[in-house]
Amino acid sequence: HMKSRNLRRTGAQMHNCRAVELGSFDFSPYGEVHRLKPGQKDIVSSVGDGWSGVFTGKPLNDRRGNLGMTYSTPAPCFVKSMERHFHTKEALFACGSPIVLAVADTKSEAPEAKDVKAIVLREGDLVILKEGIWHDACHGLGVPTCYYWYAECDPAITDPWVAISGGPINLLI
């Protein structure tokens, strides 16, 4: 899904990565996928007077966690660096507007451009990244947006953003 081309001004490689719909490839090397919709596996539905809802049937993380919100720029965009967490899984889900998530399952000290894949998360889509999976901040699908994340935050642990080896990535939609 990626192509390389030379950038004349810098001489650097540019890798194109087009975001695909969640479910277009096996996401299991990166983590879990949940569809927060009635009737889906591991999803519990509830209903009341004037409302209906769903929730995961098991916890999102095996540790205490913090709920966060990130405001982000739109894709298409350039992705220059990624982070990973060895102390926690991280759940990511859209607030309503679709988001694009770039991931890489590179085992070395820096994510590699050839390993980057990108998915579109729509309302009701939830992914839980495994520990050690490289990822960028999510980006809005063509517009600035915000999204929620859930992970254990420990002020004593710093997860640095590391430049993509062979990057940057031209994240396309």
Side-chain angles (χ1 to χ4, degrees), residues 69-89:
M69 178 183 278
T70 299
Y71 298 87
S72 65
T73 59
C77 61
F78 294 107
V79 177
K80 299 174 184 171
S81 61
M82 294 182 151
E83 68 169 346
R84 64 181 171 178
H85 314 291
F86 287 110
H87 69 284
T88 185
K89 296 176 183 176

Side-chain angles (χ1 to χ4, degrees), residues 30-64:
Y30 308 94
E32 300 174 35
V33 171
H34 297 277
R35 306 277 186 165
L36 296 175
K37 304 209 184 295
Q40 297 293 310
K41 182 182 177 210
D42 296 326
I43 300 299
V44 179
S45 299
S46 58
V47 65
D49 186 17
W51 64 272
S52 64
V54 293
F55 60 93
T56 58
K58 61 180 184 172
L60 295 180
N61 205 333
D62 50 0
R63 314 183 121 170
R64 286 184 342 168

Side-chain angles (χ1 to χ4, degrees), residues 66-143:
N66 302 83
L67 180 63
M69 178 183 278
T70 299
Y71 298 87
S72 65
T73 59
C77 61
F78 294 107
V79 177
K80 299 174 184 171
S81 61
M82 294 182 151
E83 68 169 346
R84 64 181 171 178
H85 314 291
F86 287 110
H87 69 284
T88 185
K89 296 176 183 176
E90 183 172 359
L92 301 151
F93 44 107
C95 294
S97 297
I99 55 176
V100 178
L101 170 64
V103 295
D105 189 18
T106 305
K107 303 297 186 206
S108 62
E109 293 303 309
E112 294 184 21
K114 68 178 180 57
D115 296 336
V116 176
K117 291 190 175 186
I119 55 170
V120 176
L121 299 174
R122 298 188 182 276
E123 184 176 299
D125 292 340
L126 162 68
V127 296
I128 304 171
L129 298 178
K130 292 179 179 178
E131 294 172 356
I133 294 297
W134 291 103
H135 59 284
D136 184 27
C138 296
H139 298 277
L141 187 65
V143 297

